[in-house]
Short mmCIF file of all heavy atoms in Angstrom, two decimals:
data_model
loop_
_atom_site.label_atom_id
_atom_site.label_comp_id
_atom_site.label_asym_id
_atom_site.label_seq_id
_atom_site.Cartn_x
_atom_site.Cartn_y
_atom_site.Cartn_z
N MET A 27 -11.67 -20.98 -11.18
CA MET A 27 -10.93 -19.85 -10.66
C MET A 27 -10.53 -18.95 -11.83
O MET A 27 -9.75 -19.36 -12.67
CB MET A 27 -9.69 -20.36 -9.92
CG MET A 27 -8.76 -19.27 -9.51
SD MET A 27 -7.45 -19.77 -8.39
CE MET A 27 -6.57 -20.99 -9.30
N PRO A 28 -11.07 -17.73 -11.91
CA PRO A 28 -10.73 -16.84 -13.02
C PRO A 28 -9.31 -16.29 -12.86
O PRO A 28 -8.80 -16.14 -11.75
CB PRO A 28 -11.76 -15.72 -12.92
CG PRO A 28 -12.25 -15.76 -11.52
CD PRO A 28 -12.11 -17.17 -11.07
N ILE A 29 -8.70 -15.99 -13.96
CA ILE A 29 -7.35 -15.42 -13.96
C ILE A 29 -7.46 -13.92 -13.77
O ILE A 29 -8.27 -13.26 -14.41
CB ILE A 29 -6.63 -15.74 -15.28
CG1 ILE A 29 -6.45 -17.24 -15.40
CG2 ILE A 29 -5.30 -15.02 -15.35
CD1 ILE A 29 -5.89 -17.68 -16.72
N GLN A 30 -6.66 -13.37 -12.86
CA GLN A 30 -6.65 -11.94 -12.60
C GLN A 30 -5.29 -11.37 -12.95
O GLN A 30 -4.27 -12.02 -12.77
CB GLN A 30 -6.97 -11.65 -11.14
CG GLN A 30 -8.37 -12.03 -10.73
CD GLN A 30 -8.64 -11.66 -9.29
OE1 GLN A 30 -7.74 -11.46 -8.50
NE2 GLN A 30 -9.91 -11.58 -8.96
N TYR A 31 -5.29 -10.12 -13.42
CA TYR A 31 -4.05 -9.44 -13.77
C TYR A 31 -3.74 -8.38 -12.72
O TYR A 31 -4.59 -7.56 -12.38
CB TYR A 31 -4.20 -8.76 -15.14
CG TYR A 31 -3.03 -7.90 -15.51
CD1 TYR A 31 -1.88 -8.47 -16.02
CD2 TYR A 31 -3.07 -6.52 -15.35
CE1 TYR A 31 -0.79 -7.69 -16.37
CE2 TYR A 31 -1.99 -5.73 -15.70
CZ TYR A 31 -0.86 -6.32 -16.20
OH TYR A 31 0.21 -5.55 -16.54
N ARG A 32 -2.53 -8.44 -12.18
CA ARG A 32 -2.05 -7.42 -11.25
C ARG A 32 -0.59 -7.14 -11.58
O ARG A 32 0.19 -8.06 -11.81
CB ARG A 32 -2.14 -7.88 -9.80
CG ARG A 32 -3.50 -7.82 -9.25
CD ARG A 32 -3.58 -8.05 -7.77
NE ARG A 32 -2.39 -8.57 -7.14
CZ ARG A 32 -2.33 -8.91 -5.87
NH1 ARG A 32 -3.38 -8.77 -5.11
NH2 ARG A 32 -1.23 -9.39 -5.35
N LYS A 33 -0.23 -5.87 -11.58
CA LYS A 33 1.15 -5.49 -11.87
C LYS A 33 1.51 -4.29 -11.02
O LYS A 33 0.69 -3.40 -10.81
CB LYS A 33 1.30 -5.15 -13.36
CG LYS A 33 2.68 -4.79 -13.78
CD LYS A 33 3.58 -5.99 -13.84
CE LYS A 33 4.93 -5.57 -14.38
NZ LYS A 33 5.91 -6.60 -14.28
N GLN A 34 2.74 -4.27 -10.51
CA GLN A 34 3.22 -3.14 -9.72
C GLN A 34 4.45 -2.56 -10.39
O GLN A 34 5.40 -3.28 -10.70
CB GLN A 34 3.55 -3.60 -8.30
CG GLN A 34 3.93 -2.46 -7.39
CD GLN A 34 4.22 -2.94 -5.98
OE1 GLN A 34 5.22 -3.62 -5.77
NE2 GLN A 34 3.34 -2.61 -5.07
N HIS A 35 4.41 -1.26 -10.66
CA HIS A 35 5.53 -0.55 -11.26
C HIS A 35 6.16 0.32 -10.19
O HIS A 35 5.46 1.08 -9.52
CB HIS A 35 5.07 0.32 -12.43
CG HIS A 35 4.42 -0.45 -13.52
ND1 HIS A 35 5.13 -1.15 -14.46
CD2 HIS A 35 3.12 -0.66 -13.81
CE1 HIS A 35 4.30 -1.74 -15.29
NE2 HIS A 35 3.06 -1.46 -14.92
N SER A 36 7.48 0.24 -10.03
CA SER A 36 8.18 1.01 -9.01
C SER A 36 9.06 2.07 -9.65
O SER A 36 9.75 1.80 -10.64
CB SER A 36 9.06 0.09 -8.17
OG SER A 36 8.28 -0.82 -7.47
N PHE A 37 9.01 3.26 -9.08
CA PHE A 37 9.85 4.37 -9.49
C PHE A 37 10.42 4.99 -8.22
O PHE A 37 9.81 5.88 -7.63
CB PHE A 37 9.06 5.41 -10.28
CG PHE A 37 8.46 4.87 -11.54
CD1 PHE A 37 7.14 4.48 -11.57
CD2 PHE A 37 9.22 4.71 -12.68
CE1 PHE A 37 6.57 3.97 -12.72
CE2 PHE A 37 8.66 4.18 -13.83
CZ PHE A 37 7.34 3.81 -13.86
N GLY A 38 11.56 4.46 -7.76
CA GLY A 38 12.12 4.90 -6.49
C GLY A 38 11.18 4.51 -5.36
O GLY A 38 10.74 3.36 -5.29
N PRO A 39 10.80 5.46 -4.49
CA PRO A 39 9.91 5.12 -3.37
C PRO A 39 8.44 5.03 -3.76
O PRO A 39 7.61 4.61 -2.97
CB PRO A 39 10.14 6.26 -2.38
CG PRO A 39 10.54 7.41 -3.23
CD PRO A 39 11.33 6.81 -4.38
N LEU A 40 8.09 5.41 -5.00
CA LEU A 40 6.70 5.36 -5.46
C LEU A 40 6.40 4.02 -6.12
O LEU A 40 7.20 3.50 -6.89
CB LEU A 40 6.42 6.47 -6.47
CG LEU A 40 6.40 7.88 -5.92
CD1 LEU A 40 6.25 8.86 -7.06
CD2 LEU A 40 5.29 8.06 -4.92
N LYS A 41 5.21 3.49 -5.82
CA LYS A 41 4.76 2.24 -6.43
C LYS A 41 3.36 2.47 -7.00
O LYS A 41 2.49 3.01 -6.32
CB LYS A 41 4.74 1.12 -5.41
CG LYS A 41 6.11 0.80 -4.86
CD LYS A 41 6.08 -0.39 -3.95
CE LYS A 41 7.37 -0.65 -3.26
NZ LYS A 41 8.56 -0.56 -4.00
N PHE A 42 3.16 2.08 -8.24
CA PHE A 42 1.87 2.21 -8.91
C PHE A 42 1.31 0.83 -9.17
O PHE A 42 1.98 -0.03 -9.73
CB PHE A 42 2.02 2.98 -10.22
CG PHE A 42 2.51 4.39 -10.02
CD1 PHE A 42 3.85 4.69 -10.13
CD2 PHE A 42 1.62 5.39 -9.70
CE1 PHE A 42 4.30 5.98 -9.94
CE2 PHE A 42 2.06 6.69 -9.50
CZ PHE A 42 3.40 6.98 -9.62
N ASN A 43 0.07 0.59 -8.75
CA ASN A 43 -0.58 -0.70 -8.88
C ASN A 43 -1.62 -0.65 -9.99
O ASN A 43 -2.46 0.23 -10.02
CB ASN A 43 -1.23 -1.09 -7.55
CG ASN A 43 -0.21 -1.12 -6.43
OD1 ASN A 43 0.75 -1.86 -6.49
ND2 ASN A 43 -0.43 -0.29 -5.43
N VAL A 44 -1.55 -1.64 -10.89
CA VAL A 44 -2.45 -1.72 -12.03
C VAL A 44 -3.12 -3.09 -12.01
O VAL A 44 -2.47 -4.11 -11.77
CB VAL A 44 -1.68 -1.53 -13.34
CG1 VAL A 44 -2.61 -1.60 -14.53
CG2 VAL A 44 -0.91 -0.23 -13.34
N THR A 45 -4.45 -3.11 -12.25
CA THR A 45 -5.19 -4.37 -12.34
C THR A 45 -5.81 -4.47 -13.72
O THR A 45 -5.61 -3.59 -14.57
CB THR A 45 -6.31 -4.44 -11.28
OG1 THR A 45 -7.26 -3.42 -11.56
CG2 THR A 45 -5.76 -4.25 -9.88
N GLN A 46 -6.59 -5.50 -13.95
CA GLN A 46 -7.23 -5.68 -15.25
C GLN A 46 -8.23 -4.56 -15.55
O GLN A 46 -8.56 -4.31 -16.70
CB GLN A 46 -7.91 -7.05 -15.38
CG GLN A 46 -9.13 -7.24 -14.51
CD GLN A 46 -8.80 -7.90 -13.19
OE1 GLN A 46 -7.66 -7.92 -12.76
NE2 GLN A 46 -9.81 -8.42 -12.53
N ASN A 47 -8.69 -3.85 -14.52
CA ASN A 47 -9.62 -2.73 -14.70
C ASN A 47 -8.90 -1.40 -14.88
O ASN A 47 -9.55 -0.37 -14.98
CB ASN A 47 -10.57 -2.63 -13.51
CG ASN A 47 -11.46 -3.84 -13.40
OD1 ASN A 47 -11.83 -4.44 -14.40
ND2 ASN A 47 -11.77 -4.23 -12.18
N GLY A 48 -7.58 -1.40 -14.88
CA GLY A 48 -6.80 -0.18 -15.04
C GLY A 48 -6.06 0.19 -13.78
O GLY A 48 -5.79 -0.66 -12.92
N PHE A 49 -5.74 1.48 -13.65
CA PHE A 49 -4.99 1.97 -12.50
C PHE A 49 -5.76 1.72 -11.22
O PHE A 49 -6.94 2.03 -11.12
CB PHE A 49 -4.73 3.47 -12.68
CG PHE A 49 -3.96 4.10 -11.55
CD1 PHE A 49 -2.61 3.87 -11.42
CD2 PHE A 49 -4.60 4.89 -10.64
CE1 PHE A 49 -1.89 4.44 -10.38
CE2 PHE A 49 -3.91 5.47 -9.60
CZ PHE A 49 -2.56 5.25 -9.47
N SER A 50 -5.10 1.16 -10.20
CA SER A 50 -5.75 0.79 -8.96
C SER A 50 -5.41 1.75 -7.83
O SER A 50 -6.29 2.30 -7.19
CB SER A 50 -5.35 -0.63 -8.58
OG SER A 50 -5.80 -0.95 -7.30
N SER A 51 -4.13 1.93 -7.55
CA SER A 51 -3.71 2.80 -6.45
C SER A 51 -2.22 3.09 -6.58
O SER A 51 -1.53 2.51 -7.41
CB SER A 51 -3.99 2.14 -5.10
OG SER A 51 -3.16 1.01 -4.93
N TRP A 52 -1.75 3.98 -5.74
CA TRP A 52 -0.32 4.23 -5.65
C TRP A 52 0.06 4.25 -4.19
O TRP A 52 -0.77 4.46 -3.32
CB TRP A 52 0.07 5.53 -6.35
CG TRP A 52 -0.52 6.77 -5.76
CD1 TRP A 52 -1.75 7.29 -6.02
CD2 TRP A 52 0.08 7.63 -4.80
NE1 TRP A 52 -1.96 8.42 -5.29
CE2 TRP A 52 -0.84 8.66 -4.53
CE3 TRP A 52 1.29 7.65 -4.14
CZ2 TRP A 52 -0.56 9.68 -3.62
CZ3 TRP A 52 1.57 8.66 -3.25
CH2 TRP A 52 0.64 9.67 -3.01
N SER A 53 1.32 4.00 -3.93
CA SER A 53 1.81 4.01 -2.56
C SER A 53 3.22 4.58 -2.54
O SER A 53 3.89 4.67 -3.56
CB SER A 53 1.78 2.62 -1.95
OG SER A 53 2.60 1.75 -2.68
N ILE A 54 3.63 4.98 -1.35
CA ILE A 54 4.98 5.51 -1.16
C ILE A 54 5.58 4.78 0.03
O ILE A 54 4.89 4.51 1.01
CB ILE A 54 4.96 7.04 -0.96
CG1 ILE A 54 6.38 7.58 -0.92
CG2 ILE A 54 4.17 7.43 0.26
CD1 ILE A 54 6.46 9.09 -1.03
N LYS A 55 6.86 4.44 -0.08
CA LYS A 55 7.56 3.75 1.01
C LYS A 55 8.88 4.45 1.25
O LYS A 55 9.72 4.52 0.35
CB LYS A 55 7.78 2.28 0.68
CG LYS A 55 8.44 1.52 1.82
CD LYS A 55 8.31 0.04 1.61
CE LYS A 55 9.05 -0.77 2.63
NZ LYS A 55 8.51 -0.69 3.97
N LEU A 56 9.04 4.97 2.46
CA LEU A 56 10.27 5.65 2.86
C LEU A 56 10.81 4.95 4.10
O LEU A 56 10.25 5.09 5.18
CB LEU A 56 10.00 7.13 3.17
CG LEU A 56 9.46 7.95 2.00
CD1 LEU A 56 9.04 9.32 2.47
CD2 LEU A 56 10.52 8.06 0.92
N GLY A 57 11.85 4.19 3.92
CA GLY A 57 12.41 3.43 5.03
C GLY A 57 11.42 2.39 5.51
O GLY A 57 10.94 1.57 4.74
N ARG A 58 11.05 2.44 6.79
CA ARG A 58 10.10 1.49 7.35
C ARG A 58 8.66 1.98 7.26
O ARG A 58 7.73 1.24 7.58
CB ARG A 58 10.43 1.22 8.81
CG ARG A 58 11.73 0.49 8.98
CD ARG A 58 12.01 0.27 10.44
NE ARG A 58 13.11 -0.65 10.60
CZ ARG A 58 13.22 -1.50 11.58
NH1 ARG A 58 12.30 -1.53 12.53
NH2 ARG A 58 14.23 -2.31 11.65
N TRP A 59 8.44 3.23 6.85
CA TRP A 59 7.10 3.82 6.79
C TRP A 59 6.54 3.73 5.38
O TRP A 59 7.26 3.92 4.40
CB TRP A 59 7.19 5.29 7.21
CG TRP A 59 5.90 6.02 7.11
CD1 TRP A 59 4.91 6.05 8.03
CD2 TRP A 59 5.46 6.83 6.03
NE1 TRP A 59 3.87 6.84 7.59
CE2 TRP A 59 4.19 7.33 6.36
CE3 TRP A 59 6.02 7.18 4.80
CZ2 TRP A 59 3.47 8.17 5.51
CZ3 TRP A 59 5.29 8.01 3.96
CH2 TRP A 59 4.03 8.48 4.32
N SER A 60 5.23 3.45 5.24
CA SER A 60 4.58 3.43 3.93
C SER A 60 3.15 3.94 4.05
O SER A 60 2.54 3.92 5.12
CB SER A 60 4.59 2.02 3.33
OG SER A 60 3.84 1.13 4.13
N TRP A 61 2.61 4.42 2.91
CA TRP A 61 1.25 4.94 2.84
C TRP A 61 0.64 4.50 1.53
O TRP A 61 1.29 4.53 0.49
CB TRP A 61 1.26 6.47 2.92
CG TRP A 61 -0.09 7.08 2.89
CD1 TRP A 61 -0.95 7.21 3.92
CD2 TRP A 61 -0.73 7.67 1.75
NE1 TRP A 61 -2.10 7.84 3.51
CE2 TRP A 61 -1.99 8.14 2.18
CE3 TRP A 61 -0.37 7.84 0.42
CZ2 TRP A 61 -2.88 8.76 1.32
CZ3 TRP A 61 -1.27 8.47 -0.43
CH2 TRP A 61 -2.49 8.92 0.03
N ASN A 62 -0.66 4.10 1.54
CA ASN A 62 -1.37 3.63 0.36
C ASN A 62 -2.52 4.57 0.05
O ASN A 62 -3.28 4.94 0.95
CB ASN A 62 -1.91 2.22 0.59
CG ASN A 62 -2.57 1.66 -0.63
OD1 ASN A 62 -3.69 2.02 -0.95
ND2 ASN A 62 -1.88 0.78 -1.32
N SER A 63 -2.66 4.98 -1.22
CA SER A 63 -3.68 5.95 -1.61
C SER A 63 -5.10 5.39 -1.57
O SER A 63 -6.05 6.11 -1.31
CB SER A 63 -3.39 6.49 -3.01
OG SER A 63 -3.56 5.47 -3.97
N ARG A 64 -5.27 4.12 -1.85
CA ARG A 64 -6.62 3.53 -1.88
C ARG A 64 -7.18 3.36 -0.48
O ARG A 64 -8.32 3.71 -0.20
CB ARG A 64 -6.61 2.19 -2.62
CG ARG A 64 -8.00 1.60 -2.78
CD ARG A 64 -7.98 0.32 -3.59
NE ARG A 64 -7.09 -0.68 -3.05
CZ ARG A 64 -7.42 -1.53 -2.07
NH1 ARG A 64 -8.61 -1.48 -1.53
NH2 ARG A 64 -6.55 -2.42 -1.65
N THR A 65 -6.39 2.83 0.42
CA THR A 65 -6.86 2.55 1.78
C THR A 65 -6.61 3.69 2.74
O THR A 65 -7.12 3.67 3.87
CB THR A 65 -6.18 1.28 2.34
OG1 THR A 65 -4.78 1.52 2.41
CG2 THR A 65 -6.49 0.07 1.50
N LYS A 66 -5.80 4.68 2.33
CA LYS A 66 -5.40 5.80 3.20
C LYS A 66 -4.76 5.26 4.48
O LYS A 66 -4.91 5.81 5.55
CB LYS A 66 -6.59 6.70 3.56
CG LYS A 66 -7.38 7.21 2.39
CD LYS A 66 -6.58 8.17 1.56
CE LYS A 66 -7.45 8.86 0.53
NZ LYS A 66 -7.31 8.35 -0.78
N GLU A 67 -4.04 4.17 4.37
CA GLU A 67 -3.47 3.48 5.51
C GLU A 67 -1.97 3.75 5.60
O GLU A 67 -1.27 3.71 4.60
CB GLU A 67 -3.71 1.98 5.35
CG GLU A 67 -3.23 1.16 6.51
CD GLU A 67 -3.61 -0.29 6.34
OE1 GLU A 67 -2.92 -0.99 5.59
OE2 GLU A 67 -4.61 -0.70 6.93
N GLN A 68 -1.52 4.05 6.81
CA GLN A 68 -0.09 4.18 7.08
C GLN A 68 0.37 2.90 7.76
O GLN A 68 -0.34 2.34 8.57
CB GLN A 68 0.17 5.33 8.05
CG GLN A 68 -0.15 6.68 7.52
CD GLN A 68 0.26 7.72 8.51
OE1 GLN A 68 1.43 7.82 8.87
NE2 GLN A 68 -0.70 8.48 8.98
N ARG A 69 1.57 2.47 7.41
CA ARG A 69 2.16 1.30 8.06
C ARG A 69 3.58 1.62 8.46
O ARG A 69 4.26 2.40 7.79
CB ARG A 69 2.19 0.10 7.12
CG ARG A 69 0.84 -0.50 6.88
CD ARG A 69 0.97 -1.73 6.00
NE ARG A 69 -0.33 -2.29 5.76
CZ ARG A 69 -0.74 -3.46 6.23
NH1 ARG A 69 0.07 -4.19 6.94
NH2 ARG A 69 -1.95 -3.89 5.97
N TYR A 70 4.01 1.01 9.55
CA TYR A 70 5.39 1.13 10.00
C TYR A 70 5.88 -0.27 10.35
O TYR A 70 5.29 -0.93 11.20
CB TYR A 70 5.48 2.05 11.22
CG TYR A 70 6.90 2.37 11.59
CD1 TYR A 70 7.62 3.33 10.88
CD2 TYR A 70 7.53 1.70 12.62
CE1 TYR A 70 8.92 3.61 11.20
CE2 TYR A 70 8.85 1.97 12.94
CZ TYR A 70 9.54 2.93 12.24
OH TYR A 70 10.84 3.20 12.55
N ASP A 71 6.93 -0.71 9.66
CA ASP A 71 7.49 -2.03 9.91
C ASP A 71 8.26 -2.02 11.23
O ASP A 71 9.16 -1.20 11.42
CB ASP A 71 8.44 -2.43 8.78
CG ASP A 71 7.72 -2.60 7.46
OD1 ASP A 71 6.51 -2.88 7.49
OD2 ASP A 71 8.38 -2.45 6.41
N LEU A 72 7.88 -2.91 12.13
CA LEU A 72 8.55 -3.06 13.42
C LEU A 72 9.50 -4.24 13.35
O LEU A 72 9.40 -5.07 12.44
CB LEU A 72 7.50 -3.27 14.52
CG LEU A 72 6.50 -2.14 14.70
CD1 LEU A 72 5.42 -2.55 15.69
CD2 LEU A 72 7.20 -0.88 15.15
N PRO A 73 10.41 -4.36 14.30
CA PRO A 73 11.33 -5.51 14.29
C PRO A 73 10.57 -6.84 14.34
O PRO A 73 9.52 -6.94 14.97
CB PRO A 73 12.16 -5.31 15.55
CG PRO A 73 12.09 -3.85 15.84
CD PRO A 73 10.71 -3.43 15.38
N GLY A 74 11.12 -7.83 13.67
CA GLY A 74 10.50 -9.15 13.65
C GLY A 74 9.32 -9.16 12.70
O GLY A 74 9.25 -8.40 11.75
N PRO A 75 8.33 -10.00 12.96
CA PRO A 75 7.19 -10.14 12.05
C PRO A 75 6.07 -9.15 12.32
O PRO A 75 4.95 -9.35 11.88
CB PRO A 75 6.73 -11.58 12.32
CG PRO A 75 7.03 -11.77 13.77
CD PRO A 75 8.33 -11.03 13.99
N PHE A 76 6.34 -8.05 13.03
CA PHE A 76 5.28 -7.14 13.45
C PHE A 76 5.21 -5.89 12.58
O PHE A 76 6.21 -5.41 12.07
CB PHE A 76 5.51 -6.72 14.91
CG PHE A 76 5.56 -7.88 15.84
CD1 PHE A 76 6.77 -8.31 16.37
CD2 PHE A 76 4.41 -8.58 16.18
CE1 PHE A 76 6.84 -9.39 17.22
CE2 PHE A 76 4.46 -9.66 17.02
CZ PHE A 76 5.67 -10.07 17.55
N THR A 77 3.99 -5.35 12.45
CA THR A 77 3.73 -4.12 11.72
C THR A 77 2.71 -3.31 12.49
O THR A 77 1.72 -3.85 12.99
CB THR A 77 3.18 -4.43 10.31
OG1 THR A 77 4.13 -5.20 9.61
CG2 THR A 77 2.90 -3.17 9.53
N TRP A 78 2.92 -2.00 12.57
CA TRP A 78 1.93 -1.09 13.15
C TRP A 78 1.20 -0.42 12.00
O TRP A 78 1.80 -0.06 11.00
CB TRP A 78 2.64 -0.04 14.00
CG TRP A 78 1.73 1.02 14.51
CD1 TRP A 78 0.96 0.95 15.62
CD2 TRP A 78 1.48 2.28 13.92
NE1 TRP A 78 0.25 2.11 15.77
CE2 TRP A 78 0.54 2.95 14.73
CE3 TRP A 78 1.94 2.92 12.77
CZ2 TRP A 78 0.08 4.22 14.44
CZ3 TRP A 78 1.47 4.18 12.48
CH2 TRP A 78 0.55 4.81 13.31
N ARG A 79 -0.12 -0.27 12.11
CA ARG A 79 -0.87 0.38 11.05
C ARG A 79 -1.89 1.35 11.63
O ARG A 79 -2.37 1.19 12.74
CB ARG A 79 -1.56 -0.61 10.14
CG ARG A 79 -2.74 -1.28 10.74
CD ARG A 79 -3.37 -2.22 9.74
NE ARG A 79 -4.58 -2.78 10.34
CZ ARG A 79 -5.34 -3.65 9.77
NH1 ARG A 79 -5.03 -4.10 8.58
NH2 ARG A 79 -6.41 -4.09 10.36
N SER A 80 -2.20 2.36 10.84
CA SER A 80 -3.16 3.38 11.23
C SER A 80 -3.95 3.78 9.99
O SER A 80 -3.38 3.97 8.92
CB SER A 80 -2.43 4.60 11.79
OG SER A 80 -3.34 5.65 12.01
N ARG A 81 -5.25 3.91 10.14
CA ARG A 81 -6.11 4.32 9.03
C ARG A 81 -6.71 5.67 9.34
O ARG A 81 -7.24 5.88 10.41
CB ARG A 81 -7.23 3.32 8.81
CG ARG A 81 -6.75 2.00 8.32
CD ARG A 81 -7.92 1.10 8.07
NE ARG A 81 -7.46 -0.21 7.68
CZ ARG A 81 -8.23 -1.25 7.55
NH1 ARG A 81 -9.51 -1.14 7.79
NH2 ARG A 81 -7.74 -2.41 7.19
N ARG A 82 -6.66 6.58 8.40
CA ARG A 82 -7.26 7.88 8.58
C ARG A 82 -8.72 7.84 8.21
O ARG A 82 -9.10 7.25 7.22
CB ARG A 82 -6.58 8.91 7.69
CG ARG A 82 -5.31 9.40 8.26
CD ARG A 82 -4.96 10.70 7.67
NE ARG A 82 -3.76 11.14 8.35
CZ ARG A 82 -3.03 12.14 7.95
NH1 ARG A 82 -3.37 12.78 6.87
NH2 ARG A 82 -1.97 12.48 8.62
N GLY A 83 -9.56 8.49 9.02
CA GLY A 83 -10.98 8.58 8.71
C GLY A 83 -11.77 7.35 9.02
O GLY A 83 -12.96 7.30 8.77
N ARG A 84 -11.15 6.31 9.53
CA ARG A 84 -11.84 5.07 9.86
C ARG A 84 -11.42 4.64 11.26
O ARG A 84 -10.36 5.01 11.74
CB ARG A 84 -11.48 3.94 8.90
CG ARG A 84 -11.87 4.23 7.49
CD ARG A 84 -11.47 3.06 6.62
NE ARG A 84 -11.72 3.37 5.23
CZ ARG A 84 -11.28 2.67 4.24
NH1 ARG A 84 -10.55 1.60 4.46
NH2 ARG A 84 -11.53 2.99 3.00
N ALA A 85 -12.23 3.82 11.86
CA ALA A 85 -11.86 3.29 13.18
C ALA A 85 -10.71 2.31 13.01
O ALA A 85 -10.66 1.55 12.06
CB ALA A 85 -13.05 2.58 13.81
N ASN A 86 -9.76 2.34 13.92
CA ASN A 86 -8.65 1.39 13.86
C ASN A 86 -9.15 -0.01 14.15
O ASN A 86 -9.98 -0.21 15.02
CB ASN A 86 -7.57 1.76 14.87
CG ASN A 86 -6.79 2.99 14.46
OD1 ASN A 86 -6.82 3.37 13.30
ND2 ASN A 86 -6.11 3.60 15.39
N SER A 87 -8.67 -0.96 13.40
CA SER A 87 -9.07 -2.35 13.62
C SER A 87 -7.88 -3.27 13.58
O SER A 87 -6.87 -2.98 13.06
CB SER A 87 -10.07 -2.80 12.57
OG SER A 87 -9.60 -2.59 11.28
#
């Protein structure tokens, strides 16, 4: 099992993700809503263990 490097830097609602290959993606989280730049995915945290998600430009799955 190879060792992988992952690090997340937070600056308020912005989060920057870095891997061993360099900058990976950034995301923003405002309250229960979040968006990721790599996947173009929106998420909304629902009560309990549930989450709603939506992807732009792709079929929902």
Side-chain angles (χ1 to χ4, degrees):
M27 172 170 60
I29 297 173
Q30 294 183 340
Y31 173 80
R32 283 190 347 184
K33 182 73 176 171
Q34 185 178 69
H35 300 280
S36 296
F37 300 98
L40 290 174
K41 297 185 187 316
F42 297 96
N43 302 301
V44 181
T45 65
Q46 69 266 18
N47 296 327
F49 180 75
S50 172
S51 67
W52 63 276
S53 61
I54 186 167
K55 183 165 175 68
L56 299 171
R58 293 179 169 213
W59 177 83
S60 63
W61 181 81
N62 184 283
S63 67
R64 185 176 55 84
T65 62
K66 307 292 190 258
E67 183 175 80
Q68 294 185 60
R69 287 183 181 248
Y70 189 79
D71 295 335
L72 299 173
F76 303 105
T77 300
W78 174 84
R79 73 179 185 183
S80 173
R81 293 182 184 172
R82 280 202 177 168
R84 298 180 186 168
N86 288 342
S87 54

